[in-house]
Amino acid sequence: MADEGEQQLTGELTISAEIWLVCERCGGRIRPTGSPGRCLCGGLYHVEFPRPAVLSTALFEQRLGSWQPLDRSGVWRYRELLPPLPIDRIITRPEGNTNLYHHPRLAEWTGCPDLLLKHEGENPTGSFKDRGMTVAISHARALDARAVACASTGNTAASVAAYAALAGLPSIVFLPSGKIATGKLSQAIAYGARIVQIAGEFDAAMQLVQEASSALGLYLLNSVNPFRLEGQKAIVFELLHQLGWEPPDWIILPGGNLGNTAAFGAAVMQLRAWGLLDRLPRLGVIQAAGAAPFYAAFRSGFRDFRPVMAETVATAIRIGNPVSYERARRAIEFTDGVVEAVTDDEILEAKAQVDRCGIGCEPASAAAVAGVRKLVARGIIRPGERVVAVLTGHVLKDPDAILQYHLSEEQRPLANRPVTIEPTLVALRGALEHAL
Ligand code: F0G
């Protein structure tokens, strides 16, 4: 069934003969010599490449002290676990090297004493998307692609725009009009992407970019592209490395288009198969209640999947028809994972908690923390278990959501309203009465 239906690009000879794309539906195999879209059977591809003969985690440890650009990247440091792309085509900022935080107030608020937050908002453009982007754009460069494109709820667009600018490639991003957080839209504009706003939802933008990619010969940088997922696996590699390769009991992440869920599943499956992991962490995927088709499917024992009309304050995960549903389902099944949903109020409350600890994140990321609290309350995360929640984006991505919470007419527990006063000490004393 598989066919190389994609446009061939001229740099294909630079791609190692060891790399293959395998369709997850029909099992067909093709060489990755074009922009990876869907197989003709409609399935998505994953990347296949051989395990190096010599492989040990000591190799990654040694690279920590190195100043070589590839060693400094929290993606390429793990290059033996990634497809062997030509080194001279790699575009890296470098990405990753994100911190693991513990904060006693968040531990108490969630009811999870051993809670660690992996802050992917510390990536170069402020979200985890950079990890996938460095791999996919390097593949695009190895093929001498002439332009790149994506549909996005904002963060992918910011990352595509930045990495395309680094590589000197034109980029085109398709955004649902009026539904993109200010920080992300500003980044995409600043980095020079051609921005096409779609009068419709993300899911419509996603459909259009897939058609445009094959009709106009654009290299597609959405997570249908399996090279994106290869890079995102490095979130798991790096967090395990930080924990001395001792897996936590849970890894909790927000789910939208479900590319990251798929990548996390692929990472643990690979580490297990390649002999680097003897115990599996369980995955917990958290969706916003207004955009929760994966949660509904999980509740049906994955017997039934229905796209929904998505609406949530967490615009990053405002997605009703996730592209990576099948892969994400396999990730949940393989890791004995769970899917949970949290309301917009729970998301904003969790975000205020994370922000007030001085760590800060965007709303979609806070869904993971709200999810930890809920899973603890439901007895699914058990006392004493170690949990890593992934904060996917930076606090400055969505300033409007911050103002919406803090300036709201409703009584919000952590609301922090600015005051305006006359420039006198008397007025200042009055204003600070309850603050000191
Ligand atoms: N968190 C943030 C901050 C995101 O930007 C996204 C997705 C997710 C979580 C969900 O990840 O889609 O892999 O399940 N943002 C995409 C974008 C859709 O276009 O930036 P997912």
Side-chain angles (χ1 to χ4, degrees), residues 299-344:
R299 292 289 301 255
S300 77
F302 289 125
R303 274 184 295 279
D304 194 22
F305 171 76
R306 279 182 216 170
V308 301
M309 279 301 290
E311 193 51 86
T312 166
V313 66
T315 51
I317 50 175
R318 191 175 170 279
I319 294 172
N321 191 11
V323 162
S324 289
Y325 168 73
E326 284 294 341
R327 305 162 151 168
R329 169 190 171 163
R330 276 196 295 280
I332 292 296
E333 289 174 342
F334 184 75
T335 62
D336 187 25
V338 299
V339 187
E340 187 52 85
V342 291
T343 65
D344 279 4

Side-chain angles (χ1 to χ4, degrees), residues 128-129 151-156 202 254-260 316-317 319 362 364-365 392-393:
F128 71 96
K129 304 288 180 180
S152 179
T153 56
N155 280 323
T156 301
F202 167 82
N257 219 13
L258 300 178
N260 222 17
I317 50 175
I319 294 172
E362 68 163 284
S365 317
T392 44

Side-chain angles (χ1 to χ4, degrees), residues 2 77 99 108 123 140 143 165 179 188 200 218 240 282 302 315 318 331 337 350 377 396-398 405 417-418:
R77 182 175 304 131
N99 288 292
E108 192 188 327
N123 270 290
L143 299 178
K179 298 293 180 187
L218 306 172
L240 290 173
R282 297 176 73 184
F302 289 125
T315 51
R318 191 175 170 279
L396 285 176
K397 287 282 190 175
D398 193 350
Y405 177 91
R417 272 173 177 276

Side-chain angles (χ1 to χ4, degrees), residues 72-75 77 92-99 118-120 122-124 127-128 130-131 134 163 234-235 238 242:
R72 282 170 55 210
S73 163
V75 173
R77 182 175 304 131
T92 176
R93 263 295 288 279
E95 7 339 273
N97 301 304
T98 61
N99 288 292
K118 176 126 179 95
H119 207 326
E120 288 296 301
E122 295 173 351
N123 270 290
S127 86
F128 71 96
D130 298 339
R131 293 197 184 248
T134 180
Y163 278 78
I235 303 171
E238 191 180 84
Q242 286 167 310

